[in-house]
Amino acid sequence: MNLRDEARQRFAQTWQSPSGVTGWFAEVNNRPLGIRYMVTALSFFAAGVVLAIFIRTQLAVPHNTFLGPDAYNGVFTMHGSTMLYLFAVPFVEGLGLYLVPMMIGSRDMAFPRLTNFGYWMYLFGGLTMYASFIAGQVPDSGWTAYTPLSGPMFSGPGMDYWLLGLSMVEIAGISAAVEIVVTILKLRAPGMSVRHIPLLVWSYLVAGLMILFAFTPLLLATLLLEMDRAFGFQFFNPHRGGSSLLWQHLFWWFGHPEVYIVAVPAFGIISAIIPTFARRPIVGYLIVAVSMLVIGVVSFGLWVHHMFSAEHSILGMSLFAAASMAIALPSGMQVFAWIGTIWDSKRVEWRTPMLWVTGSIVLFSIGGLTGPMLAAIPWNWQVTDTHFVTAHFHYLLVGGAAFPLIGGLYYWFPKMTGRMLNERLGKWSFWLSFIGFNIAFFTLHYTGLMGMPRRVHTYLADQGFDLPMQITLIGALILFAGLGATLWNVVTSLRRGPPAGDNPWNAPTLEWATSSPPPLYNFFHIPVVRSGNPLWDDSQSKDEGPHGYQTGTDYRETLGTTALDAIPEQRLALAGNSIWPLLLAVAVGIVFMGSLIHLIFVPVGALLSFVALVGWNWPGKQRREGL
Amino acid sequence: MFRFLLAGLVMGSSGCTGGRPQSILEPAGPHAGMIATLWWEMFAVYGIVFLVTLVLVGLALIVRRKERPALGQRFVFVAGIGIPAVILIVMLISTIRVSLRLSEGSTDFHVRVIGHHWWFEVQYPDHAIVDANEIHVPADSMVRFELSSAHVIHSFWVPRLGGKLDLLPDHPNHLRLQSGRPGVYEGTCTEYCAGPHALMEFRLVVHDRDDFERWLEQRRQPPPAPSDPRLVRGRDVFLNGGCAACHTIKGVSGAQIGPDLSHVGSRRTLGAGRLVNTPGYLAGWIANPQTLKPRNLMPRSYLSPEDLHTLVDYLGSLR
């Protein structure tokens, strides 16, 4: 065997997944961890959908006894919490962890052990929240947990499960965000200057920065509330000098950017899918990229629009109303860039991902237009806390975020598994979901206009809500069938789907230059990029010859480049597989979860965390594989 | 024209107002009227924007490229920023104008509302009257509702008269509503407060001027002491059966845990909007309020049937 083949063999060995049970826990590569994040998120999504069916069943007839008030209140709290904290952001994060290194021509994320640590924190956090069901103490203060209702005097131990679980999920979010931002800024392939970064990667950069500024205050708020509950502090008790509104400000400072953290990568997915099926680069690349940045910044100036019914100072609220209307502009610009791209294309291929994405544009437009309506303060005073708001945000979160995520699933499933999903089943799934969703949620606009409040476990019989509630149930069941069809599609195609090949869609971005599924190291040679659509441009060489940079064969390494122009500047050692992130996650978990049992676990867990951190950072292990 | 057609569709779809007592689109007062007009303007403008977008998406997908000119970036700018910015500025001005109009004018009647777990305490500070779950105001006056809460955050909303405002434990909030025509309007709590939040409602009764003076006069007096022996017996049940531990009846008891019952006989609903006030429903409520409004703070009672009936008669006499 010649030198080159031997080098390839050693290189492949360096980049192998560890084997065995311990190996599974020690895996640090972004690909398997990204899949782990997504599978876990989809499991939580399924739980959230079941909770939604419970909600709709209880509301189908007035004075229904399927769920009493406490049970219902717990169900809707966990539905919202699951969907937003345990599905939306983690799924987006998982997709990012999987795709971003591939799309920028890197071998892995910047801090592989941090990826591993983040995953365990997410899993432990989600399980802690759901442990409340087993303990019989389901949190019931809503996903927004307003004080004083969520404080020590008016809610039970369920809220402690919620707060501690959520804290761990937030830590996971922040660690993933740190990684995503650093990876995108420093680990791009040579030549991928800021003008050539794929729009999906731009969206992840924006979302990552937003997470850093939004999740941290929420972590603070959850810890302050837990201090009120566990240690007798009075931050949120107005009778002792605290403030109940303080929670609302801290929460919504996070809560409004949160929905854009979910939506901006979803828009990035649309910006990745439409050019592929329109067979042309996107119209207005710069406009779309700048729009995402503008959304990222402006979204931090909207939060009071969730509190218009808490105070009535017109001047202050008008500033937030103006900003809330203004943010429709960058969102709208992206929609018109997409329309422009489709319009200016010679031929559109109607494959399943394109269907989901087009449906999303329609639904997102509806939700995006009830937004400026809600920003109109007097109208807000009428419809806030009614089903009108519920309809609005479901159009945005399901239509504007979940639909593109599902489209992305159909688009990248071939890359992740090497198999195609079934087209016919995909189209059935789309139409059932689209029609069912509209039947269910358009009706809720009407119920809101008729004055039906939200978060109600039942309603009186003579208020005109009966028929709309039944219609909504039917729509929800159709949507449920549609989503089930995609699940069935995934399960059956994993075994029996037709083989995909490297680039089944003939798409332009770098991830399609790898095999399906790709090896852990993504590219044998880190490519040199000369355009924003590398696989479509003839100047970009596509074959496996020596047209890129090779990195170390005995240790994991990737190329570090400058932030703006992606000029290679350093070789970055990447951590190999390690058990220390799991150990640290367990120690931190002991601090949070143990405190539910006894406070002694807080110092015990802290000590163990210190030990784990020392082990993690012990020098000398970075250039060797080892546990 | 379009607005009337649509309004007709909405109203015609389920009979007259009786079927939708909390409808925002059937305003009974000037504030709600201004907001409903704003809604129809927004519905028309944003509806047209949506239809245009839909048509553009449809055309882009269906018509073949060769048969039309390219759009390019200028289209994205004009359609994405230019036109929407103009529309939004116009709507913002409209919004601020309505907001300012809703806050002008001085108030001439003052009501204090305090939110409790799943009922509304009502006070008339200028007249030293205390009540619960039902508010009486004169017609055509600007009412100032001073809103606060004993414990958690609630909200106060009469959809057919105007917007809502939260009841906070921190400090009083002030809501201004023009009372409009005489009538009975439904109001509800809308800020999630756990438990039977769904069943926390109130009634706002608007009287014409003379009627209101009479109501005030009647309410200023404490209820007369009963002379009928059956009613006396009922009052004794109230005192000895546990009711007096939570409820006030002027001249009889002074506890302030539950709603004031001094004039409960003339109240239109029981259990904060849960039931119509009839002797049968009242008996059922007293016997076991938990089956009707699960998790509310009133426990079931263990009165003998005779005691229960005399109590119901006594409470019914408190008008």
Side-chain angles (χ1 to χ4, degrees):
Chain A
M1 170 175 7
N2 61 31
L3 265 177
R4 204 168 117 197
D5 288 336
E6 202 190 305
R8 272 183 187 253
Q9 224 183 21
R10 287 206 328 265
F11 180 75
Q13 230 172 352
T14 305
W15 280 94
Q16 226 177 17
S17 255
S19 56
V21 174
T22 342
W24 189 83
F25 285 105
E27 174 71 72
V28 297
N29 184 266
N30 70 300
R31 261 198 50 234
L33 288 182
I35 302 230
R36 230 176 266 184
Y37 255 100
M38 286 191 274
V39 169
T40 310
L42 287 174
S43 312
F44 280 120
F45 179 67
V49 168
V50 169
L51 292 171
I53 300 291
F54 285 170
I55 292 175
R56 291 266 64 92
T57 308
Q58 166 61 15
L59 290 179
V61 293
H63 299 301
N64 202 355
T65 50
F66 176 65
L67 293 171
D70 283 346
Y72 179 88
N73 295 340
V75 165
F76 85 71
T77 297
M78 287 306 289
H79 167 76
S81 305
T82 301
M83 289 308 196
L84 281 156
Y85 301 128
L86 303 180
F87 162 66
V89 175
F91 186 87
V92 162
E93 276 170 6
L95 189 65
L97 290 171
Y98 187 97
L99 282 179
V100 165
M102 261 191 264
M103 286 181 115
I104 62 175
S106 157
R107 295 203 187 292
D108 201 337
M109 299 297 284
F111 309 119
R113 287 174 298 180
L114 191 60
T115 319
N116 183 307
F117 170 73
Y119 174 74
W120 299 118
M121 293 306 297
Y122 161 52
L123 182 66
F124 295 163
L127 290 177
T128 304
M129 281 188 164
Y130 271 81
S132 66
F133 279 102
I134 301 176
Q137 293 281 350
V138 186
D140 64 353
S141 302
W143 85 279
T144 52
Y146 277 13
T147 54
L149 189 61
S150 56
M153 285 196 285
F154 302 107
S155 56
M159 281 312 293
D160 296 303
Y161 285 85
W162 191 87
L163 287 166
L164 296 166
L166 183 59
S167 304
M168 288 192 272
V169 174
E170 288 161 46
I171 292 175
I174 294 172
S175 41
V178 164
E179 276 216 279
I180 286 175
V181 170
V182 172
T183 304
I184 294 176
L185 288 178
K186 296 297 291 180
L187 266 66
R188 301 200 305 276
M192 187 178 277
S193 67
V194 287
R195 285 174 298 127
H196 296 325
I197 299 178
L199 286 170
L200 180 62
V201 177
W202 267 116
S203 73
Y204 272 102
L205 179 62
V206 170
L209 289 167
M210 288 173 70
I211 290 178
L212 293 176
F213 285 99
F215 274 39
T216 322
L218 179 68
L219 189 56
L220 172 72
T222 45
L223 291 177
L224 290 181
L225 182 55
E226 191 54 39
M227 283 163 71
D228 265 24
R229 294 177 57 88
F231 301 121
F233 281 74
Q234 305 290 336
F235 292 113
F236 303 111
N237 183 356
H239 301 300
R240 296 285 212 94
S243 162
S244 68
L245 284 178
L246 173 65
W247 169 268
Q248 292 187 35
H249 283 287
L250 283 173
F251 181 84
W252 286 118
W253 167 269
F254 146 82
H256 193 82
E258 150 87 349
V259 305
Y260 285 100
I261 288 167
V262 176
V264 166
F267 298 163
I269 292 178
I270 301 181
S271 295
I273 290 180
I274 287 188
T276 301
F277 294 100
R279 307 241 134 279
R280 57 149 298 140
I282 194 151
V283 168
Y285 168 89
L286 191 60
I287 295 175
V288 175
V290 170
S291 297
M292 290 199 244
L293 283 168
V294 168
I295 289 178
V297 173
V298 174
S299 68
F300 280 91
L302 306 186
W303 84 91
V304 173
H305 73 217
H306 298 272
M307 298 164 62
F308 280 163
S309 68
E311 298 269 7
H312 274 191
S313 107
I314 305 287
L315 176 62
M317 291 195 296
S318 296
L319 293 170
F320 285 94
S324 305
M325 288 187 184
I327 205 165
L329 294 173
S331 317
M333 280 214 283
Q334 293 185 57
V335 171
F336 286 103
W338 299 328
I339 294 179
T341 308
I342 302 174
W343 189 286
D344 284 359
S345 88
K346 295 194 178 66
R347 191 171 69 86
V348 170
E349 264 199 58
W350 265 116
R351 308 298 294 277
T352 308
M354 189 62 181
L355 203 52
W356 282 96
V357 147
T358 311
S360 158
I361 294 178
V362 173
L363 298 178
F364 165 68
S365 299
I366 297 178
L369 288 169
T370 52
M373 287 184 191
L374 284 164
I377 299 167
W379 180 245
N380 192 292
W381 287 336
Q382 282 288 44
V383 290
T384 194
D385 283 326
T386 68
H387 280 173
F388 190 88
V389 175
T390 311
H392 161 76
F393 66 71
H394 278 88
Y395 265 88
L396 288 175
L397 286 172
V398 177
F403 269 50
L405 291 178
I406 299 177
L409 179 68
Y410 276 88
Y411 187 61
W412 280 295
F413 184 88
K415 174 57 55 184
M416 294 180 195
T417 60
R419 295 188 178 277
M420 304 292 286
L421 283 169
N422 183 287
E423 274 291 304
R424 242 186 79 212
L425 201 48
K427 290 185 169 144
W428 266 98
S429 171
F430 168 75
W431 285 110
L432 284 173
S433 304
F434 186 78
I435 290 171
F437 173 80
N438 277 301
I439 293 175
F441 287 96
F442 203 77
T443 314
L444 289 186
H445 287 117
Y446 173 76
T447 350
L449 291 174
M450 294 301 107
M452 184 171 185
R454 56 184 286 213
R455 296 174 162 172
V456 290
H457 78 280
T458 189
Y459 49 94
L460 301 175
D462 52 357
Q463 292 178 319
F465 306 147
D466 304 36
L467 184 60
M469 288 289 106
Q470 288 162 359
I471 294 175
T472 307
L473 173 63
I474 294 174
L477 291 173
I478 298 175
L479 171 60
F480 183 63
L483 296 172
T486 289
L487 176 63
W488 180 249
N489 202 347
V490 167
V491 164
T492 50
S493 300
L494 272 173
R495 291 286 144 90
R496 292 186 271 139
D502 288 2
N503 195 352
W505 312 117
N506 217 332
T509 40
L510 276 181
E511 77 272 25
W512 301 101
T514 62
S515 61
S516 303
L520 249 53
Y521 49 82
N522 296 334
F523 306 93
F524 191 67
H525 288 104
I526 294 185
V528 176
V529 170
R530 279 178 256 275
S531 104
N533 293 292
L535 267 58
W536 280 352
D537 285 352
D538 295 322
S539 59
Q540 194 75 32
S541 167
K542 294 186 197 60
D543 54 288
E544 265 285 328
H547 295 287
Y549 287 76
Q550 177 54 294
T551 56
T553 51
D554 293 319
Y555 42 84
R556 295 190 177 188
E557 221 184 28
T558 191
L559 211 51
T561 56
T562 59
L564 283 180
D565 289 315
I567 301 169
E569 61 173 2
Q570 53 182 316
R571 294 162 67 173
L572 291 171
L574 292 173
N577 306 300
S578 163
I579 200 70
W580 288 109
L582 172 64
L583 296 177
L584 178 63
V586 168
V588 174
I590 289 176
V591 172
F592 286 104
M593 294 188 281
S595 68
L596 285 167
I597 303 170
H598 196 286
L599 285 175
I600 190 69
F601 285 108
V602 176
V604 164
L607 191 62
L608 290 173
S609 305
F610 177 73
V611 170
L613 275 170
V614 167
W616 178 324
N617 287 292
W618 199 263
K621 288 214 180 237
Q622 287 141 345
R623 298 207 162 219
R624 276 189 343 230
E625 256 261 338
L627 298 176
Chain B
M1 173 61 190
F2 173 68
R3 181 186 314 172
F4 288 126
L5 270 176
L6 218 54
L9 221 98
V10 166
M11 287 201 282
S13 56
S14 49
C16 52
T17 312
R20 292 177 315 279
Q22 290 181 5
S23 169
I24 297 171
L25 300 181
E26 285 159 42
H31 285 194
M34 279 189 264
I35 298 174
T37 306
L38 179 65
W39 153 255
W40 290 119
E41 284 169 11
M42 294 193 296
F43 181 77
V45 170
Y46 296 130
I48 291 173
V49 169
F50 174 67
L51 288 174
V52 167
T53 309
L54 208 58
V55 164
L56 283 173
V57 172
L59 285 177
L61 288 168
I62 298 169
V63 180
R64 301 187 82 78
R65 161 79 173 90
K66 293 191 195 82
E67 295 159 16
R68 59 169 183 248
L71 283 178
Q73 293 201 23
R74 202 162 44 114
F75 162 76
V76 179
F77 268 119
V78 168
I81 284 201
I83 298 173
V86 169
I87 294 175
L88 287 176
I89 290 174
V90 168
M91 299 308 311
L92 181 65
I93 293 174
S94 198
T95 298
I96 294 182
R97 225 182 315 133
V98 175
S99 312
L100 289 173
R101 277 184 65 196
L102 289 177
S103 9
E104 66 189 17
S106 57
T107 59
D108 42 36
F109 193 72
H110 179 201
V111 179
R112 187 181 293 146
V113 178
I114 301 172
H116 292 267
H117 258 133
W118 309 302
W119 60 279
F120 293 92
E121 178 182 345
V122 182
Q123 296 174 1
Y124 301 83
D126 302 330
H127 305 279
I129 298 173
V130 177
D131 203 350
N133 301 323
E134 195 169 280
I135 308 173
H136 294 256
V137 297
D140 294 317
S141 56
M142 182 73 84
V143 182
R144 176 165 68 98
F145 290 96
E146 183 192 325
L147 306 172
S148 62
S149 172
H151 301 118
V152 303
I153 300 178
H154 299 276
S155 198
F156 179 93
W157 189 38
V158 186
R160 295 187 62 210
L161 288 186
K164 61 179 67 74
L165 187 56
D166 287 352
L167 284 70
L168 304 172
D170 301 52
H171 52 253
N173 259 341
H174 299 272
L175 175 67
R176 304 160 75 261
L177 278 184
Q178 178 83 4
S179 60
R181 301 190 296 272
V184 180
Y185 303 105
E186 285 189 21
T188 178
C189 171
T190 54
E191 185 59 58
Y192 173 67
C193 46
H197 155 71
L199 300 171
M200 182 173 165
E201 294 186 359
F202 62 93
R203 293 287 183 274
L204 183 69
V205 183
V206 179
H207 298 263
D208 66 44
R209 292 272 160 185
D210 302 320
D211 215 17
F212 187 69
E213 291 305 320
R214 259 175 304 197
W215 178 85
L216 266 185
E217 243 336 286
Q218 195 208 23
R219 282 305 170 94
R220 284 203 191 100
Q221 330 290 342
S227 45
D228 182 341
R230 190 170 164 75
L231 297 182
V232 172
R233 175 110 181 274
R235 191 189 60 183
D236 290 339
V237 173
F238 176 83
L239 282 168
N240 303 318
C243 321
C246 294
H247 294 283
T248 297
I249 294 181
K250 252 205 218 154
V252 176
S253 65
Q256 292 185 320
I257 299 173
D260 186 302
L261 299 179
S262 307
H263 298 276
V264 67
S266 62
R267 209 170 281 166
R268 282 161 176 75
T269 64
L270 299 169
R274 174 62 182 90
L275 303 161
V276 177
N277 186 357
T278 66
Y281 279 139
L282 180 56
W285 175 261
I286 296 171
N288 194 347
Q290 293 299 316
T291 54
L292 296 160
K293 189 167 168 174
R295 275 268 275 125
N296 90 86
L297 295 176
M298 176 165 160
R300 61 166 298 182
S301 61
Y302 295 88
L303 301 172
S304 70
E306 188 53 36
D307 281 349
L308 181 60
H309 286 293
T310 50
L311 177 61
V312 167
D313 286 345
Y314 169 65
L315 292 174
S317 74
L318 299 173
R319 298 194 155 269

